[in-house]
Amino acid sequence: MREARIPTDEIMGSGHLACQGCGATMAMRFALKALGRQTAMVIPACCWSVIDGTFPHSAVDIPIFHTAFETAAVTASGLKAGLEMRGDHETTVVAWAGDGGTFDIGLQSLSGAAERNEDIIYVCYDNEAYMNTGIQRSSSTPVGSWTTTTPVTNYKKRPKKNMVDILAAHEIPYIATGSVAFPEDLIRKFHKAKDIKGTKYIQILAPCPTGWKLSPELTVWAARKAVTSKVYPIMEVTENGNKIAVWKEFEPTSFKEYIKPQGRFRHLKEDEIAKIEKDIEARWQRLLAKEEMLSSIPGL
Ligand SMILES: Cc1ncc(C[n+]2csc(CCOP(=O)(O)OP(=O)(O)O)c2C)c(N)n1
Ligand code: SF4
């Protein structure tokens, strides 16, 4: 019999409160398969504070500490310190936040924890907007996208914030990006993060059918096309921010194909699509150049 590459233990149950096809639920399911049951998680205000269910019910079979929107990293730091004081050096402490709670309001708390190199795994499930409160723009929303605060007449013009570079500047031991379309890659990255001491940051593209105006059965399709169209590079940054390894072994696909079934991009005209496509390629080339340049310099 072939050995299962994805652990069969289901720590997340099916009785959750997410919309159909929610990428954020897939992200949690895969993360917990890698992290195991000796995990304590901090969740700030976001879709996942709803998805988990109402007390005393919970969709996940691990302790969850629900906390204020801006406090994921600092609460996780405190939880880790408390466990250590009680002699528990084994429990993995995870902060699990959306992109609004990470790229925007929780950035100061995350930066503080990263600078102190707190021994936590910080996960951002990235659905590219504030979904829980009705699809408002975040600094993770991609250029060209509609949201309720960036209407089609004034769609998002600024690029997505580069959180990987921001975290790398903190010289933390491990940073990774992933996508729910590649569960084995995600599970490998979580296994790795679990064994590293210090702050680990993992950002997972988790399509939101509701906010992306995407048919729910296309969640995994979109999560895959985001990577193969180079919109969402998946990579690892190690040696305290000094080494980058970008995943490149895929058949490239186009941005146009990626955005076609997504209502959030439906207003874009041909010339606007062409301009964004050009920018995506330029960013990709810069990333590869950086990977190459760093590979020739000794890390820290
Ligand atoms: C200080 C504060 N401001 C605003 C809110 C309202 N609020 C709750 S969840 C949320 C959006 C969360 O967005 P994100 O972190 O991207 O997670 P998602 O909802 O997309 O899962 C907002 C604005 C709040 N709870 N606290
Ligand atoms: S709004 Fe989006 S992220 Fe939130 S539960 Fe629904 S599909 Fe998931």
Side-chain angles (χ1 to χ4, degrees):
M1 208 170 86
R2 262 187 68 206
E3 197 187 335
R5 285 177 296 180
I6 296 181
T8 49
D9 192 16
E10 294 291 356
I11 301 175
M12 187 185 142
S14 55
H16 58 70
L17 301 183
C19 316
Q20 226 181 12
C22 173
T25 58
M26 297 175 198
M28 178 68 86
R29 185 174 170 220
F30 300 142
L32 289 179
K33 278 175 176 287
L35 294 169
R37 286 169 197 272
Q38 200 165 353
T39 302
M41 193 172 274
V42 171
I43 302 185
C46 60
C47 271
W48 247 103
S49 30
V50 177
I51 296 169
D52 187 39
T54 47
F55 183 81
H57 306 288
S58 172
V60 293
D61 198 12
I62 55 160
I64 300 280
F65 190 116
H66 289 279
T67 191
F69 197 16
E70 64 278 26
T71 65
V74 70
T75 308
S77 308
L79 183 58
K80 181 68 186 172
L83 288 169
E84 291 277 342
M85 279 186 76
R86 289 171 45 164
D88 176 349
H89 308 293
E90 301 305 318
T91 300
T92 305
V93 175
V94 176
W96 183 273
D99 48 281
T102 303
F103 287 57
D104 295 336
I105 194 166
L107 185 57
Q108 41 74 26
S109 153
L110 172 57
S111 174
E115 189 276 328
R116 295 188 303 274
N117 202 20
E118 299 283 356
D119 190 18
I120 59 170
I121 302 178
Y122 189 105
V123 182
C124 172
Y125 67 91
D126 184 7
N127 54 28
E128 304 192 315
Y130 293 54
M131 296 307 181
N132 184 46
T133 40
I135 325 169
Q136 293 87 17
R137 162 210 205 277
S138 80
S139 52
S140 168
T141 302
V143 66
S145 179
W146 160 92
T147 65
T148 54
T149 48
T150 46
V152 293
T153 48
N154 189 19
Y155 62 78
K156 175 101 183 281
K157 301 286 185 343
R158 294 286 298 155
K160 187 182 179 91
K161 189 186 278 182
N162 187 338
M163 281 296 286
V164 170
D165 276 6
I166 291 172
L167 268 299
H170 289 72
E171 301 193 8
I172 57 172
Y174 188 71
I175 301 165
T177 58
S179 156
V180 294
F182 301 97
E184 287 165 340
D185 174 70
L186 273 182
I187 287 169
R188 184 184 62 78
K189 285 169 175 165
F190 273 100
H191 275 142
K192 208 164 171 178
K194 197 178 162 184
D195 291 338
I196 296 172
K197 209 164 168 55
T199 306
K200 287 78 62 177
Y201 175 78
I202 301 182
Q203 186 179 302
I204 307 170
L205 182 68
C208 164
T210 310
W212 291 20
K213 299 192 177 298
L214 175 76
S215 203
E217 73 275 12
L218 293 180
T219 298
V220 173
W221 179 92
R224 186 179 306 116
K225 293 291 174 185
V227 176
T228 56
S229 62
K230 305 173 185 169
V231 170
Y232 209 96
I234 61 176
M235 63 184 116
E236 283 177 303
V237 183
T238 54
E239 298 193 26
N240 300 320
N242 290 288
K243 282 278 178 284
I244 305 178
V246 183
W247 186 56
K248 312 173 209 58
E249 290 79 42
F250 53 80
E251 277 296 312
T253 55
S254 72
F255 174 65
K256 211 169 169 181
E257 184 194 6
Y258 168 58
I259 62 171
K260 200 165 180 225
Q262 298 184 46
R264 64 178 178 155
F265 293 111
R266 200 154 294 148
H267 53 277
L268 290 178
K269 299 187 182 69
E270 287 295 329
D271 59 327
E272 293 166 321
I273 294 173
K275 161 87 177 68
I276 296 173
E277 220 152 14
K278 214 168 136 214
D279 289 348
I280 290 167
E281 187 56 32
R283 272 171 217 287
W284 175 257
Q285 292 304 331
R286 277 203 299 274
L287 180 63
L288 298 190
K290 195 168 166 188
E291 178 188 38
E292 174 72 20
M293 185 268 290
L294 286 177
S295 71
S296 59
I297 302 172
L300 291 180

